[in-house]
Amino acid sequence: AQSVTQLGSHVSVSEGALVLLRCNYSSSVPPYLFWYVQYPNQGLQLLLKYTTGATLVKGINGFEAEFKKSETSFHLTKPSAHMSDAAEYFCAVTSDFQKLVFGTGTRLLVSP
Amino acid sequence: EAGVAQSPRYKIIEKRQSVAFWCNPISGHATLYWYQQILGQGPKLLIQFQNNGVVDDSQLPKDRFSAERLKGVDSTLKIQPAKLEDSAVYLCASSLGQGSHEQYFGPGTRLTVT
């Protein structure tokens, strides 16, 4: 069975500061990993995904994530937070692109 | 390109009543998913369709939940009778087909059961 653990249900940063959202996964087969963002009263939007190849993945809105097999991690980062980044972020894993298993989410709060 | 459409956006019902949600996926997307997102949790897959056939409904509470996608396009999810613990956001997603990497999500239907 696959699972995802997101450390920290809430993360607070100041505008302009580094954003780091943590995700660790468990999978018995090579995983495919995703980060989604959810703004209030909206559906999930794909930020970035790791399937194969380069382990550093760049996504939309300046976000990136690095797949580290030895650490079973796929942490999401952004060098400089913007007020518009305030949202809920979900990490997800799948082995076959069918059943996505989501973490419990991390709410990012950005203060001026 | 139009996104995934869902209606209604909000619904409030009393326990033991029935409710139905509708989803229209992106045109040409063969695979359709229904997820349940309880407050404070990540989305959980309820059912997956490939065209009009069910691929995975292992986490669908079949005693009260049902879903159909009769013509392989839009889909309905029904709850009858509803329980308090069914209060959640119900998300519909679609993808091009099996093996496609990206699922596109609709805005969801927020259900409150009182």
Side-chain angles (χ1 to χ4, degrees):
Chain A
Q2 296 177 305
S3 66
V4 168
T5 301
Q6 291 185 241
L7 293 176
S9 59
H10 293 79
V11 170
S12 295
V13 299
S14 299
E15 193 171 20
L18 171 71
V19 175
L20 171 60
L21 304 182
R22 299 179 186 274
C23 172
N24 289 88
Y25 69 90
S26 173
S27 179
S28 59
V29 296
Y32 303 110
L33 295 156
F34 302 77
W35 274 101
Y36 282 85
V37 61
Q38 187 176 34
Y39 297 100
N41 299 315
Q42 294 187 27
L44 280 72
Q45 179 184 7
L46 182 66
L47 273 179
L48 49 80
K49 62 186 178 187
Y50 168 77
T51 54
T52 58
T55 56
L56 181 62
V57 180
K58 295 186 184 298
I60 62 172
N61 301 338
F63 285 93
E64 63 182 37
E66 186 171 10
F67 170 61
K68 292 186 176 181
K69 184 179 179 180
S70 61
E71 299 177 8
T72 62
S73 69
F74 191 57
H75 302 330
L76 182 70
T77 61
K78 182 174 180 177
S80 177
H82 192 272
M83 296 295 290
S84 61
D85 294 327
E88 185 118 27
Y89 292 80
F90 292 93
C91 183
V93 64
T94 182
S95 61
D96 59 3
F97 304 110
Q98 299 302 302
K99 184 173 182 176
L100 283 173
V101 177
F102 286 88
T104 53
T106 298
R107 183 168 298 278
L108 178 64
L109 307 170
V110 183
S111 57
Chain B
E1 175 183 82
V4 177
Q6 291 188 247
S7 67
R9 292 295 311 278
Y10 305 91
K11 190 73 176 179
I12 301 174
I13 62 172
E14 296 181 350
K15 59 184 178 183
R16 291 187 291 273
Q17 287 186 322
S18 62
V19 65
F21 313 128
W22 174 82
C23 172
N24 192 26
I26 293 173
S27 178
H29 281 197
T31 308
L32 185 148
Y33 311 79
W34 282 103
Y35 289 87
Q36 180 191 57
Q37 184 178 15
I38 293 173
L39 186 64
Q41 299 181 21
K44 181 186 79 172
L45 180 68
L46 291 176
I47 188 167
Q48 175 188 343
F49 291 94
Q50 179 72 15
N51 296 309
N52 60 353
V54 176
V55 174
D56 183 352
D57 64 355
S58 58
Q59 298 195 82
L60 186 74
K62 298 180 186 64
D63 57 335
R64 297 183 300 106
F65 285 65
S66 64
E68 60 183 14
R69 194 185 183 199
L70 293 176
K71 297 182 179 178
V73 180
D74 56 349
S75 175
T76 56
L77 176 69
K78 297 179 181 178
I79 308 175
Q80 181 179 12
K83 293 185 176 182
L84 294 176
E85 58 261 34
D86 299 331
S87 294
V89 175
Y90 291 85
L91 294 165
C92 180
S94 69
S95 68
L96 278 171
Q98 290 183 322
S100 176
H101 298 189
E102 184 170 353
Q103 297 181 24
Y104 295 82
F105 284 80
T109 296
R110 182 177 299 276
L111 173 68
T112 302
V113 182
T114 63

